[in-house]
């Protein structure tokens, strides 16, 4: 009941009411990629498993970029990709004693700074129940504003009022005042998880341009005769550079 209201639309049915208060986590894992490596994701998990089991692969390259050779080969190693996923998460919520969350703000076509100025001007006045404003922050994702006062004891009476009329421009608008909650992770448990469709390729020499090497790898690993299959995505990082791959939830 202390959390700010947020309008939401629920579609579908809830099968078990016991699940209604559970927090659903959507993984978004950042995985570092060293130079001379590649991540290849296949459409089928069976293909990725087969490529890992074969371990070492000889990839033929079209070496038009290498003047002395018409064709050459490179050996790369295929290893599984293991990442850490959260299995349990506990968050401790605390209510700020000097901040308020302002929502239900009108869309007036004015800049964010102008809106923040109007709110700070209004809530800085003691006749409106406010006090000197120490900071203000516009929350882009929710289009709400956090106002922090320099003194304790100002936020609570405003929160108890719930709503207040604020003059902005030529009109007055009813806005909502809620507690400002902050969360700290008090317990996070991780468990290793193997990516079923993704394989890490190691030991790739820097003998072709980035685009040519990427094409050569994809051509090789999509051939069924080489144990491969349809490639969903491929990311290659040449030697001497580093990269970061982002793993999202597999909804396929």
């Amino acid at each position: 009941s202390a959390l700010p209201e947020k309008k939401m639309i629920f579609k579908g049915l809830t099968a078990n009411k016991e699940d209604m208060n559970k927090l659903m986590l959507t993984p978004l894992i950042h995985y570092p990629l060293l130079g001379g490596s590649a991540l290849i994701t296949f459409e089928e998990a069976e293909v990725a498993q087969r490529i890992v089991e074969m371990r070492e692969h000889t990839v033929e390259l079209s070496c038009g970029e290498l003047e002395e050779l018409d064709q050459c080969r490179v050996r790369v190693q295929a290893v599984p990709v293991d990442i850490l996923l959260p299995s349990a998460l506990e968050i401790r919520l605390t209510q700020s004693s000097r901040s308020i969350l302002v929502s239900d703000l009108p869309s007036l076509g004015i800049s964010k700074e102008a809106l923040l100025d109007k709110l700070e001007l209004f809530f800085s006045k003691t006749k409106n129940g406010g006090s000197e404003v120490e900071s203000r922050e516009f929350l882009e994702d929710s289009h709400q504003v956090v106002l922090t006062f320099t003194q304790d004891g100002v936020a609570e009476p405003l929160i108890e009022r719930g709503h207040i009329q604020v003059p902005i421009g030529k009109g007055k608008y009813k806005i909502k005042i809620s507690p400002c909650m902050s969360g700290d992770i008090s317990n996070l448990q991780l468990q290793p998880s193997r990516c079923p469709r993704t394989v890490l390729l190691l030991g790739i020499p820097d003998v072709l341009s980035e685009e040519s090497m990427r094409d050569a790898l994809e051509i090789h690993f999509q051939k069924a005769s080489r144990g491969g299959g349809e490639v969903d995505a491929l990311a290659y990082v040449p030697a001497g550079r580093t990269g970061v791959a982002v793993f999202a939830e597999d909804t396929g």
Side-chain angles (χ1 to χ4, degrees), residues 52-169:
V52 169
E53 290 174 352
M54 294 172 66
R55 179 68 182 182
E56 190 170 275
H57 300 264
T58 301
V59 180
E60 294 184 358
L61 307 178
S62 296
C63 297
E65 300 177 23
L66 302 180
E67 297 178 357
E68 298 179 358
L69 298 176
D70 294 326
Q71 192 177 39
C72 61
R73 299 177 177 88
V74 296
R75 293 181 182 274
V76 300
Q77 290 75 44
V79 296
V81 178
D82 293 317
I83 58 178
L84 293 176
L85 292 178
S87 59
L89 174 66
E90 295 180 6
I91 299 178
R92 180 179 59 249
L93 292 176
T94 56
Q95 179 177 333
S96 173
S97 61
R98 295 194 295 139
S99 299
I100 60 173
L101 183 68
V102 180
S103 55
D104 292 350
L105 296 169
S107 299
L108 301 176
I110 62 176
S111 67
K112 298 170 189 174
E113 286 300 318
L115 178 61
L116 290 173
D117 288 341
K118 296 290 186 184
L119 293 174
E120 180 176 354
L121 182 62
F122 178 86
F123 284 102
S124 294
K125 297 179 179 179
T126 55
K127 68 177 183 179
N128 296 329
S131 180
E132 181 182 350
V133 175
E134 182 179 273
S135 64
R136 74 263 182 100
E137 179 185 5
F138 187 87
L139 306 179
E140 296 284 352
D141 57 343
S142 60
H143 296 281
Q144 299 172 340
V145 171
V146 175
L147 294 178
T148 301
F149 300 100
T150 57
Q151 301 176 9
D152 290 327
V154 179
E156 191 63 33
L158 288 171
I159 293 170
E160 291 178 358
R161 294 174 66 173
H163 292 82
I164 192 170
Q165 293 278 351
V166 177
I168 303 177

Side-chain angles (χ1 to χ4, degrees), residues 1 18 33 111 125 130 137 184 197 199 220 224 239 241:
S1 60
E18 292 80 8
L33 272 180
S111 67
K125 297 179 179 179
E137 179 185 5
D184 296 315
R197 299 191 298 119
V199 175
H220 175 89
R241 292 167 53 185

Side-chain angles (χ1 to χ4, degrees), residues 6 11 16 33 44-45 58 138 172 182-183 188 194 203 221:
K6 185 174 182 63
K11 296 181 178 181
N16 300 311
L33 272 180
E44 300 293 335
T58 301
F138 187 87
K172 283 191 174 184
S182 60
L188 175 61
R194 178 157 295 180
F221 285 101

Side-chain angles (χ1 to χ4, degrees), residues 168-251:
I168 303 177
K170 296 181 179 180
K172 283 191 174 184
Y173 301 89
K174 185 179 181 180
I175 64 174
K176 182 173 177 58
I177 305 174
S178 307
C180 183
M181 310 295 294
S182 60
D184 296 315
I185 296 177
S186 57
N187 182 29
L188 175 61
Q189 298 178 17
L190 301 172
Q191 65 178 9
S193 177
R194 178 157 295 180
C195 296
R197 299 191 298 119
T198 302
V199 175
L200 175 63
L201 304 177
L202 300 173
I204 305 173
D206 188 17
V207 293
L208 293 180
S209 67
E210 183 176 350
E211 183 178 357
S212 297
M213 180 61 78
R214 187 187 302 111
D215 291 343
L217 291 171
E218 186 167 352
I219 290 172
H220 175 89
F221 285 101
Q222 72 180 2
K223 292 181 178 179
S225 60
R226 306 290 176 85
E230 288 295 328
V231 175
D232 188 26
L234 190 148
Y236 164 61
V237 179
R241 292 167 53 185
T242 58
V244 176
V246 179
F247 286 87
E249 186 176 15
D250 189 356
T251 57

